[in-house]
Amino acid sequence: MDQPAGSPLVVLEGVNKSFGPLHVLKDIDLQVGRGEVLVVIGPSGSGKSTMCRCINRLETVDSGRVLVDGQELPREGKALARLRADIGMVFQSFNLFAHMSVLDNVTLGPIKVRGVAKAEARERGRALLTRVGIGDKADAMPAQLSGGQQQRAAIARALAMQPKLMLFDEPTSALDPEYISEVLDVMRGLAEEGMTMVVVTHEMGFARSAGNRVAFMDGGRIVEVAPPEQFFNAPESPRARDFLGKILTH
Amino acid sequence: MGLSTITDNLDVYVEGFVGTVTLTALGAAGALALGTALAAMRVSPVATLRAGGLLYVETLRNCPLPVLVVLMAFGLPKLGETFLWSFFAYGAVAIALYHAAFVCEAVRSGIGSVSTGQGEAARSLGLPFGQVLRLVVLPQAFRTVIPPLGNVLIALTKNTSVVALIDVTDITNNTELIINDTVDPIFAVLGSACAYLLLTLPMGLLVGRLEKRAAFAR
Amino acid sequence: MRLRTAAALAALALTLTACGGGDEQGDLGSGTPDTKPTFEAGTTMARIQSAGVLKVGTKFDQPLYGEKQLSGDVEGFDVNVAKILADELGVQPEFTEAVSKNREPFIQNGTVDIVVATYTINDKRKQVIDFAGPYYVTGQSIMVKKDDSAITDKAGLAGKRVCSVEGSTPAERIKTEVPTAKLTTFDTYGKCAEALKNGQTDAVTTDEAILLGLVSKSPEDFQVVGEPFSEEPYGIGLKKGDQPFRDFLNDTLEKAYEDGRWEKALKDTVGTVQDQLPSPPPVDRYTAAG
């Protein structure tokens, strides 16, 4: 496996996780370097979403360690909340706060968690919304937005916390096809600016063009980690070859 | 006898009405505050809090209110001077404690109706548990919680009548005075029914209106 | 004692209506009479006889008069009087709990045939029901804590907290005769006794024999003070205007006065806590108004 240069931002060591009798993560070892974009792919049920959610402890691990910026994730509480504030999370189903305007969604975290003054938070929030291309939707309610707009607002909400790491959990899987590219474009822009990202996705084009490395998961294990060129052109493992074969024929 | 049983005793009904309104207001305020706190306990990430909330709800919910009232009114004084209160205080506290269990379950079901993603998104921003609940989950739960909470409130209003068991002035207790005075239970009780309806019917209308408003606000 | 109080409290809260056992054996009568007495068709007595039971409303929480035991049996002087009456009809008594405030409706609605429940005869009640008897005369008295020497008579109740049962004659009397007393009324004397024990009231007032019953359960806590300050004739409540039935009840009472059944009924119950037992009062065959 390639090791990224410098001290890694995210480290998973021997992580195991079960849901009842279902062993969904098996001995996961993984590192994500600073400024790196790691794309996680694999068939449904391979455990990639669960692994992603373990990084900000939305899922607890049964054994092993998860470290972010050298610090092991603490138990639920104030310290964990502080750590989560530095990790942006983008969900498949957007999860914008349904009872708040788009701008309030974006400013909630900075005001309540970071203690930013309201006026300043709103100004920065509007700038972020403009940056993701929905500056005119600041005062709309989430339900009035298209899926693509909602997901971009969700990305803006995460960015408003000025995170050092962004997690994307299948950010385009719930979108109609015509909205996928506008979200991927925003993510690509982020990657180019040097944001450290873990992206769980089925978008092979994104993986190929924006990822620094690709991690392939199957059956709860990381089967293969490689730069995109190498992975897509000459996958080492039979299972990866099989998976790619299926995707390419469809 | 007859209608005069009611009209001759209007002042007695009014005195009882004031008692019932006071008990309802105090009981509802206490039940709402404690019930919401209990609901927070029941969905908290701390196992002991969850267990404590569950124990409270199951105990209080399954204990008849008259038993609770009498137990408190005559049992608490045995614990010492600190617990020697007025019968009105026992009544109000018992009503609040009992209905807090039902408020808790109504609020908890409301919290359950908010998708888990909302809480996860709030936690991911670094909001602590209390703020996740207060800023994100409860405001959205409020909408679904209004009808069951309204039912609890109306039930509470009617249930305040148990304080007659410990001679606290309310509609029911004063109605008993009227019955003893007039020996006309039918009309005396009809009068008390009117007094309760005067209180609960507007409540039902108010709850309906709140429900509509919350639905539009979304 | 404490256990009994707790049981009584629980029972009062849980049983809104209670059913009397229908199979109580009268131990006071002369057993099953060889020949059942016969009554004129259409009378209440004939109806009760054909029903086979005399439905009696009595207190279930009145020690010495009508008190439901943990066994389910109801015991007391009132119960014994009812048994004498049932015996005379050749039927079994069936007891239903009557509390002070539901005695008139019970009679008016026919829920019970008679009410024998420490039921003071007064004119207000006579307007809606009739009374046979009196079969017993007692007087209102005062019960205080054993260690209390501040209250010794009725005058001492001024400004004090006093507990009684709502709708009862003693409660009404305190309201008019000691208006400064702060009166609390519950549905049972058990609560008054508990309130006295807890210091939630300063005195309990009602008919002396009832207070003696409470003292008999808790002699270490309570005492009865002063002389009775009223005359409470206890009567048997029945439907207004049923003159033949009233005559039958009065006749039966007089018979029981003569043959010693009345005295035995009293001695077995009230007599266990009171040495000086009153003699039977003459029945009052008043002319019903209206």
Side-chain angles (χ1 to χ4, degrees), chain C residues 263-279:
Chain C
E263 200 187 337
K264 176 166 162 44
L266 188 62
K267 201 171 258 173
D268 289 349
T269 53
V270 181
T272 56
V273 294
Q274 207 176 21
D275 302 328
Q276 207 69 21
L277 289 176
S279 40

Side-chain angles (χ1 to χ4, degrees), chain A residues 141-165:
Chain A
M141 296 301 279
Q144 297 168 308
L145 269 55
S146 73
Q149 290 168 334
Q150 285 194 50
Q151 194 60 300
R152 284 185 281 158
I155 294 172
R157 176 175 66 181
L159 290 176
M161 296 298 288
Q162 299 176 311
K164 43 189 170 191
L165 166 69

Side-chain angles (χ1 to χ4, degrees), chain B residues 1 64 66-67 70 73-75 77-78 84-85 87 90 164-167 173 176-177 179-183 185, chain C residues 2 9 12-14 101 104-105 124 128 166-167 172 175 183-187 191-192 194-195 197-200:
Chain B
M1 294 293 259
V67 172
V70 173
F74 297 107
K78 308 211 180 295
L84 192 58
W85 314 331
F87 285 113
Y90 292 123
L165 281 174
I166 51 171
D167 197 34
N173 203 23
E176 282 168 6
L177 295 181
I179 293 176
N180 289 327
D181 197 45
T182 59
V183 202
Chain C
R2 201 144 284 188
L9 282 175
L12 113 222
L14 290 168
K101 66 186 170 195
E104 289 86 16
K124 199 155 82 185
V128 287
E166 62 201 17
E172 295 301 317
K175 264 192 226 170
L183 181 67
T184 298
T185 55
F186 295 125
D187 51 351
K191 283 183 191 169
C192 279
E194 207 58 30
K197 208 179 280 179
N198 289 338
Q200 292 164 306

Side-chain angles (χ1 to χ4, degrees), chain C residues 218-233:
Chain C
S218 244
E220 71 279 12
D221 292 318
F222 306 137
Q223 59 175 340
V224 171
V225 294
E227 292 295 312
F229 49 92
S230 75
E231 204 167 80
E232 305 281 343

Side-chain angles (χ1 to χ4, degrees), chain A residues 188 204-211 228:
Chain A
R188 223 171 246 122
M204 297 306 146
F206 178 84
R208 205 188 269 269
S209 61

